[in-house]
Amino acid sequence: MEAMKICCIGAGYVGGPTMAMIAHKCSDIEVTVVDLNEARIAAWNSGDLPVYEPGLEEIVSQNREKNLFFSTDVDDKVREADVIFISVNTPTKDYGSGSGQAADLRFVESCARGIARAGGGDKIVVEKSTVPVRTAQMVKEILDSSNNGHSYQVISNPEFLAEGTAMTDLENPDRVLIGGDTSDAGQVAVEKVVSIYAQWVPRERIITTNLWSSELSKLTANAFLAQRISSINAISALCEASEANVDEVAKAIGTDSRIGPKFLKSSIGFGGSCFQKDVLNLCYLCRHFDLPQVAEYWEQVIRMNEYQKERFVTRLLDSMFNTVSGKRIAILGYAFKKDTNDARESPAIGICTRLLEEKANLAIYDPRVTKQSILSTLGWSEESAKGRVEFCTSAEEACQKSHAIALLTEWDEFKELDYTKIYEKMHQPAILFDGRNLLDLEELRKIGYRANGIGRV
Ligand code: NAD
Ligand code: UGA
């Protein structure tokens, strides 16, 4: 029997790592990741991968050109494959009907049309992208309307990896979710996709459902996770007003096994390319199905997140006599979380934009986010940034002569800095961290930072 061939359309933060793991675990499967973006594919084929994830580089370099390939030859690779994963971006629509809430499915639709056009025999088409419930119906209609004589089964297999821990999440997932049509042919396709993951994931962790449950479970999982963060952030505001300590409250409630300890870290708000877009999409779907009360319930998760980000800026301003004009603010961390080079929807974008509006000068340092990515997310050019935004190559450099430090991403290396020494080289300092009050050195030390002296920072 010939080896199974997989083609994944979309070489992004999901397509790249996910396919690298499948190739790594299934030496009998040939995996090709395709993308229209030539620079991205060239980077996947180089020593400088476009995605930073701990452990990714090792797995790519071990398997690339053996059973893992990256190519821009979309049509040919699709034609040759038995199983095609669609792993393209599904951003919030920013035009026309549903603008600002609905998912923009044009990339998914274009993949479906491309698959139908490519022909090459019967195929299993797997939705890996996060999509609104019932998208599989659209994909199936497009595939079937091609009348090319081939039959298609559409499967939903949403991805639950988190950036920064993608490789361990993929290697040891809490569950793999596979939804398919309840017909006999649909179930055969489900089993074929199950057989891929079953090469390394225990069978009891592979959940199979109908198509719509699988699609909706992905949006629901992200909405529940985002809701937990907004809930603890809401309580952080009350803690600051009442002298309760939000970490202590989180620990106290998290020991209740019904609540659980994870995802209770109060922050400057959640970021990343998915939480906001997926909650907005859920709200859009609720309105589409005429459930306005349900939509309003979830919309509050986003409102609370906005409030938390603005609250951070307000407190920073308050603590600096309401003006940061001409003051140097060290921005430590720009990625939306540690261990990733991804700055999409990072809370740092809004915070830096607000500080620039207040005429602060920023000295930004992030271990992995590139200068280009910072400039493009801020909407500034290299020219306009001159004199206002400095790109530093170390945290110490950013902090020198700064009036304040805004710790925006919890990179481990920031914990290791000697804040006592940094303090000595600062201007008129104030340290803020993760949606909390001003911290002094002693408080910093208590939450795991290297700071020996005692006194107001
Ligand atoms: P991404 O933007 O990093 O990558 C998507 C890639 O698809 C891009 O490189 C783009 O060029 C390519 N593409 C778009 N249309 C194409 C086409 N017609 N043909 C070939 N290539 C095409 O996106 P991502 O972060 O990998 O997310 C992909 C999907 O996975 C989204 O639906 C997202 O919601 C979901 N998801 C993301 C994460 C995450 O952590 N980033 C986790 C779980 C699920
Ligand atoms: C999230 C989910 O965790 C994944 O399961 C999902 O697959 C993915 O979205 C997706 O669909 O894209 P990700 O956004 O990569 O993963 O990272 P998270 O660890 O969830 O962090 C998201 C944001 O929440 C970050 O800004 C983080 O700082 C913030 N966060 C997280 C908190 O503020 N507090 C917490 O306790 C946890």
PDB file of all heavy atoms in Angstrom, residues 3-4 19-31 62-63 66-69 196 199-200:
ATOM      1  N   ALA A   3       2.197   5.012   0.762  1.00  0.00           N
ATOM      2  CA  ALA A   3       2.177   5.821   1.982  1.00  0.00           C
ATOM      3  C   ALA A   3       1.115   6.905   1.871  1.00  0.00           C
ATOM      4  O   ALA A   3       0.861   7.420   0.786  1.00  0.00           O
ATOM      5  CB  ALA A   3       3.543   6.470   2.157  1.00  0.00           C
ATOM      6  N   MET A   4       0.503   7.207   3.032  1.00  0.00           N
ATOM      7  CA  MET A   4      -0.493   8.283   3.034  1.00  0.00           C
ATOM      8  C   MET A   4       0.214   9.609   2.778  1.00  0.00           C
ATOM      9  O   MET A   4       1.317   9.841   3.277  1.00  0.00           O
ATOM     10  CB  MET A   4      -1.196   8.336   4.393  1.00  0.00           C
ATOM     11  CG  MET A   4      -2.360   9.330   4.434  1.00  0.00           C
ATOM     12  SD  MET A   4      -2.883   9.793   6.109  1.00  0.00           S
ATOM     13  CE  MET A   4      -3.647   8.339   6.725  1.00  0.00           C
ATOM     14  N   MET A  19       2.047  20.165  11.536  1.00  0.00           N
ATOM     15  CA  MET A  19       2.503  19.212  10.515  1.00  0.00           C
ATOM     16  C   MET A  19       3.897  18.677  10.857  1.00  0.00           C
ATOM     17  O   MET A  19       4.209  17.517  10.575  1.00  0.00           O
ATOM     18  CB  MET A  19       2.483  19.865   9.131  1.00  0.00           C
ATOM     19  CG  MET A  19       1.091  20.165   8.652  1.00  0.00           C
ATOM     20  SD  MET A  19       0.027  18.681   8.586  1.00  0.00           S
ATOM     21  CE  MET A  19      -1.393  19.214   9.523  1.00  0.00           C
ATOM     22  N   ALA A  20       4.730  19.530  11.465  1.00  0.00           N
ATOM     23  CA  ALA A  20       6.055  19.037  11.874  1.00  0.00           C
ATOM     24  C   ALA A  20       5.883  17.902  12.877  1.00  0.00           C
ATOM     25  O   ALA A  20       6.582  16.880  12.805  1.00  0.00           O
ATOM     26  CB  ALA A  20       6.873  20.181  12.481  1.00  0.00           C
ATOM     27  N   MET A  21       4.912  18.035  13.794  1.00  0.00           N
ATOM     28  CA  MET A  21       4.696  16.972  14.792  1.00  0.00           C
ATOM     29  C   MET A  21       4.144  15.708  14.130  1.00  0.00           C
ATOM     30  O   MET A  21       4.577  14.594  14.447  1.00  0.00           O
ATOM     31  CB  MET A  21       3.744  17.476  15.894  1.00  0.00           C
ATOM     32  CG  MET A  21       3.558  16.527  17.050  1.00  0.00           C
ATOM     33  SD  MET A  21       5.115  16.047  17.882  1.00  0.00           S
ATOM     34  CE  MET A  21       5.539  17.552  18.751  1.00  0.00           C
ATOM     35  N   ILE A  22       3.206  15.867  13.188  1.00  0.00           N
ATOM     36  CA  ILE A  22       2.668  14.669  12.513  1.00  0.00           C
ATOM     37  C   ILE A  22       3.797  13.951  11.770  1.00  0.00           C
ATOM     38  O   ILE A  22       3.949  12.726  11.883  1.00  0.00           O
ATOM     39  CB  ILE A  22       1.500  15.056  11.553  1.00  0.00           C
ATOM     40  CG1 ILE A  22       0.281  15.505  12.378  1.00  0.00           C
ATOM     41  CG2 ILE A  22       1.133  13.874  10.646  1.00  0.00           C
ATOM     42  CD1 ILE A  22      -0.940  15.911  11.554  1.00  0.00           C
ATOM     43  N   ALA A  23       4.628  14.703  11.042  1.00  0.00           N
ATOM     44  CA  ALA A  23       5.724  14.073  10.297  1.00  0.00           C
ATOM     45  C   ALA A  23       6.683  13.366  11.272  1.00  0.00           C
ATOM     46  O   ALA A  23       7.159  12.254  11.012  1.00  0.00           O
ATOM     47  CB  ALA A  23       6.471  15.121   9.484  1.00  0.00           C
ATOM     48  N   HIS A  24       6.937  14.023  12.401  1.00  0.00           N
ATOM     49  CA  HIS A  24       7.868  13.478  13.395  1.00  0.00           C
ATOM     50  C   HIS A  24       7.359  12.157  13.978  1.00  0.00           C
ATOM     51  O   HIS A  24       8.116  11.219  14.183  1.00  0.00           O
ATOM     52  CB  HIS A  24       8.032  14.520  14.497  1.00  0.00           C
ATOM     53  CG  HIS A  24       9.040  14.170  15.526  1.00  0.00           C
ATOM     54  ND1 HIS A  24      10.368  13.977  15.240  1.00  0.00           N
ATOM     55  CD2 HIS A  24       8.913  13.956  16.870  1.00  0.00           C
ATOM     56  CE1 HIS A  24      11.015  13.673  16.349  1.00  0.00           C
ATOM     57  NE2 HIS A  24      10.150  13.647  17.348  1.00  0.00           N
ATOM     58  N   LYS A  25       6.070  12.103  14.243  1.00  0.00           N
ATOM     59  CA  LYS A  25       5.485  10.925  14.901  1.00  0.00           C
ATOM     60  C   LYS A  25       5.072   9.838  13.913  1.00  0.00           C
ATOM     61  O   LYS A  25       4.859   8.700  14.308  1.00  0.00           O
ATOM     62  CB  LYS A  25       4.250  11.342  15.720  1.00  0.00           C
ATOM     63  CG  LYS A  25       4.555  12.280  16.876  1.00  0.00           C
ATOM     64  CD  LYS A  25       5.336  11.552  17.959  1.00  0.00           C
ATOM     65  CE  LYS A  25       5.572  12.450  19.161  1.00  0.00           C
ATOM     66  NZ  LYS A  25       6.374  11.776  20.196  1.00  0.00           N
ATOM     67  N   CYS A  26       4.896  10.184  12.637  1.00  0.00           N
ATOM     68  CA  CYS A  26       4.376   9.208  11.674  1.00  0.00           C
ATOM     69  C   CYS A  26       5.347   9.124  10.497  1.00  0.00           C
ATOM     70  O   CYS A  26       5.148   9.780   9.464  1.00  0.00           O
ATOM     71  CB  CYS A  26       3.004   9.638  11.153  1.00  0.00           C
ATOM     72  SG  CYS A  26       1.829  10.091  12.424  1.00  0.00           S
ATOM     73  N   SER A  27       6.383   8.307  10.649  1.00  0.00           N
ATOM     74  CA  SER A  27       7.405   8.258   9.600  1.00  0.00           C
ATOM     75  C   SER A  27       6.856   7.667   8.305  1.00  0.00           C
ATOM     76  O   SER A  27       7.447   7.826   7.239  1.00  0.00           O
ATOM     77  CB  SER A  27       8.613   7.458  10.085  1.00  0.00           C
ATOM     78  OG  SER A  27       8.160   6.207  10.531  1.00  0.00           O
ATOM     79  N   ASP A  28       5.684   6.983   8.399  1.00  0.00           N
ATOM     80  CA  ASP A  28       5.095   6.370   7.192  1.00  0.00           C
ATOM     81  C   ASP A  28       4.221   7.353   6.417  1.00  0.00           C
ATOM     82  O   ASP A  28       3.638   6.989   5.399  1.00  0.00           O
ATOM     83  CB  ASP A  28       4.276   5.139   7.592  1.00  0.00           C
ATOM     84  CG  ASP A  28       3.185   5.469   8.619  1.00  0.00           C
ATOM     85  OD1 ASP A  28       3.381   6.427   9.402  1.00  0.00           O
ATOM     86  OD2 ASP A  28       2.141   4.796   8.629  1.00  0.00           O
ATOM     87  N   ILE A  29       4.096   8.568   6.892  1.00  0.00           N
ATOM     88  CA  ILE A  29       3.244   9.549   6.196  1.00  0.00           C
ATOM     89  C   ILE A  29       4.131  10.641   5.591  1.00  0.00           C
ATOM     90  O   ILE A  29       5.061  11.130   6.240  1.00  0.00           O
ATOM     91  CB  ILE A  29       2.216  10.198   7.162  1.00  0.00           C
ATOM     92  CG1 ILE A  29       1.303   9.119   7.771  1.00  0.00           C
ATOM     93  CG2 ILE A  29       1.374  11.253   6.450  1.00  0.00           C
ATOM     94  CD1 ILE A  29       0.246   9.649   8.734  1.00  0.00           C
ATOM     95  N   GLU A  30       3.814  11.014   4.344  1.00  0.00           N
ATOM     96  CA  GLU A  30       4.551  12.130   3.719  1.00  0.00           C
ATOM     97  C   GLU A  30       3.739  13.409   3.907  1.00  0.00           C
ATOM     98  O   GLU A  30       2.570  13.468   3.527  1.00  0.00           O
ATOM     99  CB  GLU A  30       4.735  11.835   2.226  1.00  0.00           C
ATOM    100  CG  GLU A  30       5.643  12.834   1.547  1.00  0.00           C
ATOM    101  CD  GLU A  30       5.775  12.525   0.052  1.00  0.00           C
ATOM    102  OE1 GLU A  30       6.149  11.390  -0.309  1.00  0.00           O
ATOM    103  OE2 GLU A  30       5.489  13.437  -0.739  1.00  0.00           O
ATOM    104  N   VAL A  31       4.358  14.391   4.528  1.00  0.00           N
ATOM    105  CA  VAL A  31       3.629  15.617   4.882  1.00  0.00           C
ATOM    106  C   VAL A  31       4.222  16.809   4.126  1.00  0.00           C
ATOM    107  O   VAL A  31       5.431  17.060   4.204  1.00  0.00           O
ATOM    108  CB  VAL A  31       3.750  15.885   6.402  1.00  0.00           C
ATOM    109  CG1 VAL A  31       2.960  17.139   6.786  1.00  0.00           C
ATOM    110  CG2 VAL A  31       3.275  14.689   7.216  1.00  0.00           C
ATOM    111  N   GLN A  62      15.104  17.744  12.051  1.00  0.00           N
ATOM    112  CA  GLN A  62      15.223  16.268  12.021  1.00  0.00           C
ATOM    113  C   GLN A  62      14.422  15.649  10.875  1.00  0.00           C
ATOM    114  O   GLN A  62      14.774  14.591  10.378  1.00  0.00           O
ATOM    115  CB  GLN A  62      14.657  15.674  13.313  1.00  0.00           C
ATOM    116  CG  GLN A  62      15.643  15.554  14.453  1.00  0.00           C
ATOM    117  CD  GLN A  62      14.909  15.064  15.714  1.00  0.00           C
ATOM    118  OE1 GLN A  62      14.086  14.169  15.675  1.00  0.00           O
ATOM    119  NE2 GLN A  62      15.228  15.702  16.833  1.00  0.00           N
ATOM    120  N   ASN A  63      13.292  16.269  10.513  1.00  0.00           N
ATOM    121  CA  ASN A  63      12.366  15.609   9.574  1.00  0.00           C
ATOM    122  C   ASN A  63      12.282  16.254   8.194  1.00  0.00           C
ATOM    123  O   ASN A  63      11.774  15.624   7.263  1.00  0.00           O
ATOM    124  CB  ASN A  63      10.968  15.560  10.200  1.00  0.00           C
ATOM    125  CG  ASN A  63      10.971  14.761  11.501  1.00  0.00           C
ATOM    126  OD1 ASN A  63      11.001  13.536  11.478  1.00  0.00           O
ATOM    127  ND2 ASN A  63      11.007  15.469  12.629  1.00  0.00           N
ATOM    128  N   LYS A  66      12.889  14.675   4.690  1.00  0.00           N
ATOM    129  CA  LYS A  66      12.705  13.211   4.816  1.00  0.00           C
ATOM    130  C   LYS A  66      11.235  12.936   4.532  1.00  0.00           C
ATOM    131  O   LYS A  66      10.882  12.470   3.471  1.00  0.00           O
ATOM    132  CB  LYS A  66      13.117  12.741   6.209  1.00  0.00           C
ATOM    133  CG  LYS A  66      14.613  12.800   6.416  1.00  0.00           C
ATOM    134  CD  LYS A  66      14.996  12.197   7.756  1.00  0.00           C
ATOM    135  CE  LYS A  66      16.479  12.400   8.008  1.00  0.00           C
ATOM    136  NZ  LYS A  66      16.752  12.826   9.381  1.00  0.00           N
ATOM    137  N   ASN A  67      10.366  13.260   5.501  1.00  0.00           N
ATOM    138  CA  ASN A  67       8.933  13.118   5.208  1.00  0.00           C
ATOM    139  C   ASN A  67       8.180  14.414   5.517  1.00  0.00           C
ATOM    140  O   ASN A  67       6.975  14.419   5.670  1.00  0.00           O
ATOM    141  CB  ASN A  67       8.306  11.951   5.984  1.00  0.00           C
ATOM    142  CG  ASN A  67       8.331  12.183   7.486  1.00  0.00           C
ATOM    143  OD1 ASN A  67       9.195  12.889   7.993  1.00  0.00           O
ATOM    144  ND2 ASN A  67       7.385  11.599   8.199  1.00  0.00           N
ATOM    145  N   LEU A  68       8.943  15.518   5.632  1.00  0.00           N
ATOM    146  CA  LEU A  68       8.328  16.830   5.887  1.00  0.00           C
ATOM    147  C   LEU A  68       8.856  17.827   4.857  1.00  0.00           C
ATOM    148  O   LEU A  68      10.073  18.033   4.757  1.00  0.00           O
ATOM    149  CB  LEU A  68       8.695  17.300   7.307  1.00  0.00           C
ATOM    150  CG  LEU A  68       8.247  18.705   7.693  1.00  0.00           C
ATOM    151  CD1 LEU A  68       6.718  18.824   7.725  1.00  0.00           C
ATOM    152  CD2 LEU A  68       8.808  19.107   9.074  1.00  0.00           C
ATOM    153  N   PHE A  69       7.927  18.425   4.115  1.00  0.00           N
ATOM    154  CA  PHE A  69       8.338  19.335   3.033  1.00  0.00           C
ATOM    155  C   PHE A  69       7.548  20.640   3.122  1.00  0.00           C
ATOM    156  O   PHE A  69       6.403  20.647   3.587  1.00  0.00           O
ATOM    157  CB  PHE A  69       8.090  18.673   1.668  1.00  0.00           C
ATOM    158  CG  PHE A  69       8.789  17.349   1.531  1.00  0.00           C
ATOM    159  CD1 PHE A  69       8.152  16.167   1.926  1.00  0.00           C
ATOM    160  CD2 PHE A  69      10.092  17.275   1.054  1.00  0.00           C
ATOM    161  CE1 PHE A  69       8.794  14.942   1.834  1.00  0.00           C
ATOM    162  CE2 PHE A  69      10.745  16.046   0.953  1.00  0.00           C
ATOM    163  CZ  PHE A  69      10.101  14.879   1.346  1.00  0.00           C
ATOM    164  N   ILE A 196      -4.183   8.760  12.149  1.00  0.00           N
ATOM    165  CA  ILE A 196      -2.956   9.587  12.129  1.00  0.00           C
ATOM    166  C   ILE A 196      -2.544   9.891  13.568  1.00  0.00           C
ATOM    167  O   ILE A 196      -1.430   9.581  14.003  1.00  0.00           O
ATOM    168  CB  ILE A 196      -3.199  10.917  11.364  1.00  0.00           C
ATOM    169  CG1 ILE A 196      -3.649  10.646   9.924  1.00  0.00           C
ATOM    170  CG2 ILE A 196      -1.955  11.805  11.417  1.00  0.00           C
ATOM    171  CD1 ILE A 196      -4.144  11.896   9.177  1.00  0.00           C
ATOM    172  N   GLN A 199      -1.197   7.318  16.274  1.00  0.00           N
ATOM    173  CA  GLN A 199       0.196   6.855  16.269  1.00  0.00           C
ATOM    174  C   GLN A 199       0.956   7.347  17.504  1.00  0.00           C
ATOM    175  O   GLN A 199       2.000   6.822  17.836  1.00  0.00           O
ATOM    176  CB  GLN A 199       0.911   7.295  14.987  1.00  0.00           C
ATOM    177  CG  GLN A 199       0.296   6.659  13.744  1.00  0.00           C
ATOM    178  CD  GLN A 199       1.326   6.432  12.635  1.00  0.00           C
ATOM    179  OE1 GLN A 199       2.480   6.142  12.897  1.00  0.00           O
ATOM    180  NE2 GLN A 199       0.891   6.555  11.392  1.00  0.00           N
ATOM    181  N   TRP A 200       0.448   8.405  18.147  1.00  0.00           N
ATOM    182  CA  TRP A 200       1.119   8.828  19.392  1.00  0.00           C
ATOM    183  C   TRP A 200       0.179   9.323  20.494  1.00  0.00           C
ATOM    184  O   TRP A 200       0.588   9.451  21.645  1.00  0.00           O
ATOM    185  CB  TRP A 200       2.193   9.897  19.095  1.00  0.00           C
ATOM    186  CG  TRP A 200       1.716  11.303  18.906  1.00  0.00           C
ATOM    187  CD1 TRP A 200       1.665  12.291  19.858  1.00  0.00           C
ATOM    188  CD2 TRP A 200       1.229  11.918  17.700  1.00  0.00           C
ATOM    189  NE1 TRP A 200       1.182  13.454  19.319  1.00  0.00           N
ATOM    190  CE2 TRP A 200       0.917  13.254  17.986  1.00  0.00           C
ATOM    191  CE3 TRP A 200       1.040  11.464  16.390  1.00  0.00           C
ATOM    192  CZ2 TRP A 200       0.417  14.144  17.035  1.00  0.00           C
ATOM    193  CZ3 TRP A 200       0.540  12.347  15.440  1.00  0.00           C
ATOM    194  CH2 TRP A 200       0.236  13.662  15.765  1.00  0.00           C
TER     195      TRP A 200
END
